[in-house]
Amino acid sequence: MTSASTHTTRPLTTTYMWLIIMAGTLTCVWAITNLPLSRIDPYFNLLALGTVILGSRVAIRVPRINTNITVDDTFIFLGLLLYGGEAAVLLGMIGGVAAGLRISNKPRTVLFAGAALACALSVTAQGLLWIFGSTTDLLHHGPSAAIIAICLMGLLQYASHTAIVATANALKDNQTIWQMWNQNFLWISITYFAGAAAAGLIAFSIGTAGFYAFLIAIPIIAIVYLSYDRYLREVKSSARQAELAERERAEIERERAEQAERHVKELNNYIVEQERISRTLEETKEHFRHAAFHDALTGLPNRSMFSELLTAEIKSSRINSNHLFAALFIDLDRFKNINDSLGHSYGDLLLVAFAGRLEKILRPVDTLARFGGDEFAILLSNMSHPQDAIRVAERILEDLTQPFDLKENSSFTSASIGIALSTSGYDRPEDILRDADTAMYRAKENGKGRYELFDKDMHARAVSRLSLERDLRQAIEQKEFCVYYQPIVSLESGKLAGFEALVRWNHPVEGLVSPSEFIPVAEETGLILQIGQWVLEEACRAVNTWQQQSVVHRNLTLSVNLSAKQVSQPDLLEQVSHALEQSGLDARSLKLEITESVVMENAEAATMMFKRLRALGVQLSIDDFGTGYSSLSYLHRFPLNYLKIDRSFVSRITETGENAEIVRTIVTLAHNLGLQVIAEGVETREQQKQLESVGCEYAQGYLFSRPVEHDSVKALLDGELGSNGQLAIGEEALHDDSVVSVYPM
């Protein structure tokens, strides 16, 4: 193997290369001085000629560096075995120089190639001499020793030669020697061992068949390596042809692009010319003005024009105190579901149809605008009474009770409307739009499909909500959340079956904040994802610990609520798997509770996600069953384990059993679907008895226990469970059938 550089070398590299050249020269002088002339026979000359002519003919390029692998190692190793170290050094210098001339015309590079190979052979020869004695007797020590000697010969030559060349390249490229050697020379060790093995085989053949074996081996080696050389040339030729083909393809693509650009320019010129003929400059300006102030889909005014009109209304109200106007902010409810299920083109048709209905309701002096997405705004001008705005909102909601017939599909939709009146006294259009938007969100919070009139209290609530959101983000950073656990009891055995994990916020100033206050904000802002994942991981760790502390508790289950945002996450399965893996909790001990309204918003996607969770081993439960929109045609397709009866149904059960029929119906439905039932909000003994009578399997509520903090669970498990494992209920609870006051759960 030889090395040469086509790059500008550094001063240190130059010094190093000349040092190697000097060392190689001295080594050759030593070899000439100590080589007996009697060893120089015709066969040696033939070997040298083969090294120069054949050994350096085939060179394999090493990637990224200017280095080549040649096949002269076989001839040089053969010289070492037949003629000794001095002869091998001379052959190495000759072969290295010959190979160097093939890749460079710089004297320093050529001399370095020969000197590096001569120095490496000197090291190899001296190493073999020190271990085995004369190198010409290596094959006479028996088969095992000969094999070891041949391997050692290849190893010494590989280590010394690559070390010399790697050092030069490392200095040139400003890398460490190890990095250079590991990246570029580690993989070529096989060539040295192959060369040593071939030389050993030829030398052994010469020992038995005479030097004719060498004469026979030379053409064989020549044919093999010349064939390989031709193969490399063909590979290069194929690569060159591929490169030329790629260039030709790029040229064709460039010509096509230029041609297309010319066509576009010609078309643009034609359009400009036609506009010049058909329109005046003023009409062209009007066109752009319309585009700047109108919505592209519906043709309605956009936010910019609406704001200008609002500004004019505000000025009019300042001049005339009797001038009344109002802004209505309208947002379609669950419009995203329509886009996701029927497609965006269908959603666009619905928006256009909705705009058409609104225009029919309004007077000519009123203005309808689209702000983008499913957001619309109405400016009611010259109102005679503030009540006019409410009547328009009611008319819109009434009109939406009729379906939209689009593309042979009938769709129902509702809208949430916020109203801001000019009587509040506005100076800027953005302020009245802000308040109308605030009122619209209030309508959504109160159940959607309704309107809300903005008032000062609503503004205060909006400010408070912003403050709550800020505190909520800080609470996540400061880890102010904790998990409370409410026991779930088996009604059949009376034993503790598990816990439901409930998040609590321990505010540093306000104390415990009700989930009903911060969960909606967390849902809206997306912070529920971080909170929900933390609750899942924390509760899994806790229940696994309690399971391991006692055999009695080994079958405890954990119920965790999933929010709408969590269910819609594509990596939900990975999040659940991570929580189980980190905690060590068995997947069969985890119950994930999802409200039916969340499930039915995208039933198809929910079905796929449920199946993946069930395959993981997790159990699934529909929470608050009966309070939202459900479809029995979908319900039987969900791979569920439990139905959870909402507390609103349980609370209606009286001492005489009245209003228990709904609960009985739900239990029967669940059993027919192969599901078990959990009733929540159980607060009296009579409710418990009625639930037992209809076959409800599990229950939770203040009758058994309020939600307790983590440290109290240990006391509950250790102290409040009897020897039979049943949940012990205090005397006060046993004799008091009154409804316990509601506490946020």
XYZ file of all heavy atoms in Angstrom, residues 287-326:
320
model
N -60.166 46.263 -8.058
C -60.027 44.813 -7.924
C -59.106 44.453 -6.758
O -59.428 43.588 -5.928
C -59.476 44.232 -9.232
C -59.032 42.796 -9.106
N -59.917 41.744 -9.053
C -57.781 42.249 -9.012
C -59.247 40.616 -8.935
N -57.952 40.894 -8.910
N -57.977 45.112 -6.681
C -57.031 44.808 -5.602
C -57.571 45.258 -4.244
O -57.315 44.613 -3.224
C -55.680 45.477 -5.876
C -54.904 44.808 -6.978
C -54.649 45.470 -8.163
C -54.434 43.511 -6.838
C -53.942 44.857 -9.183
C -53.723 42.893 -7.845
C -53.473 43.562 -9.033
N -58.289 46.355 -4.255
C -58.874 46.812 -2.994
C -59.901 45.802 -2.488
O -59.984 45.528 -1.288
C -59.534 48.182 -3.195
C -60.004 48.810 -1.893
C -60.639 50.173 -2.110
N -60.900 50.829 -0.850
C -61.918 50.545 -0.038
N -62.776 49.609 -0.386
N -62.079 51.189 1.103
N -60.684 45.273 -3.400
C -61.678 44.266 -3.013
C -60.989 43.026 -2.442
O -61.427 42.461 -1.436
C -62.531 43.889 -4.224
C -63.642 42.931 -3.889
N -63.454 41.564 -3.872
C -64.948 43.151 -3.557
C -64.587 40.977 -3.544
N -65.514 41.918 -3.341
N -59.909 42.594 -3.085
C -59.184 41.417 -2.594
C -58.582 41.657 -1.218
O -58.493 40.744 -0.397
C -58.081 41.040 -3.589
N -58.162 42.900 -0.949
C -57.538 43.221 0.330
C -58.552 43.286 1.462
O -58.186 43.107 2.629
C -56.789 44.548 0.224
N -59.811 43.534 1.148
C -60.808 43.739 2.191
C -61.943 42.723 2.158
O -62.961 42.924 2.816
C -61.401 45.153 2.081
C -60.432 46.231 2.458
C -59.706 46.913 1.488
C -60.217 46.549 3.792
C -58.809 47.900 1.837
C -59.324 47.540 4.158
C -58.600 48.220 3.177
N -61.782 41.635 1.397
C -62.845 40.632 1.318
C -62.272 39.229 1.462
O -61.111 38.968 1.123
C -63.617 40.750 -0.004
C -64.479 41.965 -0.072
N -63.973 43.220 -0.345
C -65.830 42.133 0.100
C -64.957 44.108 -0.335
N -66.095 43.474 -0.074
N -63.111 38.352 1.951
C -62.739 36.950 2.137
C -62.793 36.217 0.797
O -63.778 36.352 0.048
C -63.692 36.307 3.144
C -63.480 34.814 3.250
O -62.346 34.391 3.524
O -64.460 34.070 3.032
N -61.779 35.434 0.492
C -61.699 34.777 -0.814
C -62.760 33.695 -0.977
O -63.271 33.484 -2.083
C -60.304 34.175 -0.994
N -63.130 32.992 0.087
C -64.070 31.877 -0.029
C -65.508 32.361 -0.189
O -66.231 31.931 -1.091
C -63.954 30.964 1.191
C -64.949 29.802 1.253
C -64.707 28.837 0.091
C -64.831 29.067 2.596
N -65.948 33.264 0.695
C -67.354 33.675 0.716
C -67.606 34.997 0.009
O -68.765 35.329 -0.292
C -67.835 33.799 2.170
O -67.043 34.827 2.824
C -67.662 32.482 2.911
N -66.561 35.773 -0.265
C -66.743 37.091 -0.853
C -67.196 38.131 0.152
O -67.454 39.284 -0.209
N -67.293 37.759 1.430
C -67.727 38.694 2.471
C -66.579 39.619 2.865
O -65.409 39.316 2.634
C -68.193 37.916 3.706
C -69.418 37.014 3.541
C -69.647 36.219 4.814
C -70.651 37.843 3.197
N -66.898 40.750 3.490
C -65.837 41.591 4.057
C -65.002 40.784 5.055
O -65.515 39.888 5.734
C -66.612 42.714 4.756
C -67.906 42.783 4.020
C -68.235 41.369 3.625
N -63.709 41.125 5.128
C -62.842 40.439 6.080
C -62.665 41.288 7.337
O -63.328 42.312 7.514
C -61.495 40.104 5.438
C -60.779 41.341 4.925
O -61.109 42.473 5.292
N -59.799 41.124 4.071
N -61.757 40.878 8.210
C -61.564 41.582 9.480
C -61.140 43.041 9.260
O -61.572 43.934 10.005
C -60.520 40.849 10.325
C -60.279 41.495 11.680
C -59.143 40.809 12.412
N -59.539 39.501 12.907
C -60.020 39.275 14.129
N -60.186 40.292 14.968
N -60.339 38.057 14.509
N -60.280 43.275 8.259
C -59.794 44.636 8.027
C -60.940 45.591 7.701
O -61.058 46.683 8.284
C -58.769 44.636 6.891
O -57.639 43.869 7.235
N -61.804 45.181 6.751
C -62.928 46.051 6.403
C -63.893 46.185 7.572
O -64.431 47.283 7.827
C -63.659 45.521 5.177
C -64.909 46.338 4.825
S -65.687 45.884 3.271
C -64.624 46.764 2.125
N -64.136 45.091 8.289
C -65.057 45.130 9.428
C -64.559 46.126 10.471
O -65.347 46.876 11.053
C -65.191 43.734 10.028
C -66.358 43.577 10.960
C -67.618 43.291 10.473
C -66.194 43.738 12.323
C -68.706 43.146 11.332
C -67.261 43.598 13.194
C -68.527 43.307 12.696
N -63.246 46.134 10.697
C -62.687 47.073 11.673
C -62.867 48.514 11.217
O -63.156 49.411 12.029
C -61.193 46.772 11.886
O -61.015 45.492 12.451
N -62.722 48.768 9.925
C -62.939 50.116 9.418
C -64.388 50.557 9.619
O -64.666 51.697 10.010
C -62.577 50.180 7.933
C -61.079 50.151 7.667
C -60.762 50.471 6.218
O -61.714 50.760 5.449
O -59.576 50.441 5.866
N -65.324 49.643 9.341
C -66.739 49.964 9.529
C -67.061 50.197 11.002
O -67.864 51.074 11.346
C -67.607 48.840 8.961
C -67.512 48.632 7.442
C -68.309 47.400 7.029
C -68.009 49.869 6.696
N -66.438 49.415 11.876
C -66.639 49.618 13.313
C -66.122 50.988 13.745
O -66.741 51.674 14.573
C -65.917 48.526 14.103
C -66.707 47.266 14.441
C -65.826 46.288 15.205
C -67.946 47.600 15.266
N -64.976 51.366 13.181
C -64.429 52.688 13.504
C -65.414 53.788 13.127
O -65.622 54.757 13.882
C -63.092 52.888 12.763
O -62.172 51.865 13.166
C -62.500 54.252 13.077
N -66.030 53.648 11.958
C -67.022 54.641 11.522
C -68.225 54.670 12.456
O -68.771 55.747 12.778
C -67.460 54.339 10.090
N -68.665 53.486 12.925
C -69.802 53.417 13.856
C -69.462 54.088 15.180
O -70.298 54.779 15.785
C -70.196 51.959 14.079
C -70.821 51.287 12.873
C -72.185 51.857 12.528
O -72.943 52.233 13.446
O -72.504 51.946 11.329
N -68.249 53.876 15.644
C -67.832 54.493 16.912
C -67.834 56.017 16.788
O -68.296 56.743 17.684
C -66.443 53.969 17.315
C -66.530 52.476 17.686
C -65.880 54.766 18.486
C -65.190 51.827 17.939
N -67.340 56.533 15.661
C -67.352 57.983 15.438
C -68.779 58.519 15.398
O -69.079 59.597 15.955
C -66.623 58.305 14.138
C -65.118 58.062 14.200
C -64.459 58.411 12.871
C -62.952 58.170 12.938
N -62.289 58.480 11.629
N -69.671 57.770 14.754
C -71.072 58.213 14.676
C -71.713 58.257 16.055
O -72.499 59.167 16.371
C -71.867 57.289 13.754
O -71.361 57.332 12.432
N -71.388 57.279 16.900
C -71.977 57.250 18.245
C -71.454 58.393 19.109
O -72.144 58.837 20.039
C -71.684 55.908 18.910
O -70.288 55.754 19.128
N -70.229 58.874 18.831
C -69.707 60.025 19.574
C -70.444 61.301 19.179
O -70.721 62.166 20.020
C -68.215 60.186 19.296
C -67.337 59.106 19.916
C -65.901 59.309 19.492
N -65.029 58.251 20.004
C -63.759 58.099 19.631
N -63.234 58.939 18.738
N -63.032 57.133 20.146
N -70.758 61.410 17.882
C -71.467 62.595 17.394
C -72.918 62.574 17.854
O -73.471 63.586 18.293
C -71.386 62.664 15.857
C -69.924 62.801 15.420
C -72.227 63.818 15.322
C -69.727 62.712 13.915
N -73.514 61.386 17.785
C -74.925 61.244 18.150
C -75.036 60.191 19.236
O -74.838 58.990 18.996
C -75.749 60.854 16.923
C -77.232 60.713 17.235
O -77.694 61.027 18.337
N -77.982 60.248 16.243
N -75.350 60.600 20.441
C -75.408 59.665 21.573
C -76.534 58.658 21.429
O -76.532 57.620 22.100
C -75.577 60.449 22.882
O -76.775 61.225 22.840
N -77.496 58.912 20.572
C -78.613 57.986 20.363
C -78.302 56.928 19.302
O -79.128 56.052 19.044
C -79.869 58.754 19.944
C -80.380 59.653 21.061
O -80.304 59.280 22.231
N -80.889 60.828 20.704
N -77.120 57.045 18.697
C -76.746 56.073 17.663
C -76.303 54.768 18.341
O -75.293 54.722 19.044
C -75.611 56.636 16.804
C -75.170 55.694 15.715
N -75.894 55.527 14.552
C -74.091 54.863 15.610
C -75.279 54.652 13.779
N -74.170 54.231 14.400
N -77.077 53.719 18.118
C -76.790 52.413 18.732
C -76.307 51.425 17.669
O -76.833 51.399 16.546
C -78.041 51.857 19.409
C -78.615 52.658 20.578
C -79.867 51.971 21.102
C -77.589 52.811 21.698
N -75.323 50.631 18.045
C -74.869 49.536 17.177
C -74.365 48.400 18.060
O -74.181 48.559 19.283
C -73.781 50.012 16.201
C -72.486 50.386 16.867
C -71.459 49.459 17.011
C -72.294 51.682 17.345
C -70.265 49.805 17.619
C -71.104 52.033 17.947
C -70.081 51.094 18.091
N -74.155 47.271 17.447
C -73.680 46.096 18.195
C -72.802 45.242 17.288
O -72.959 45.242 16.060
C -74.857 45.269 18.712
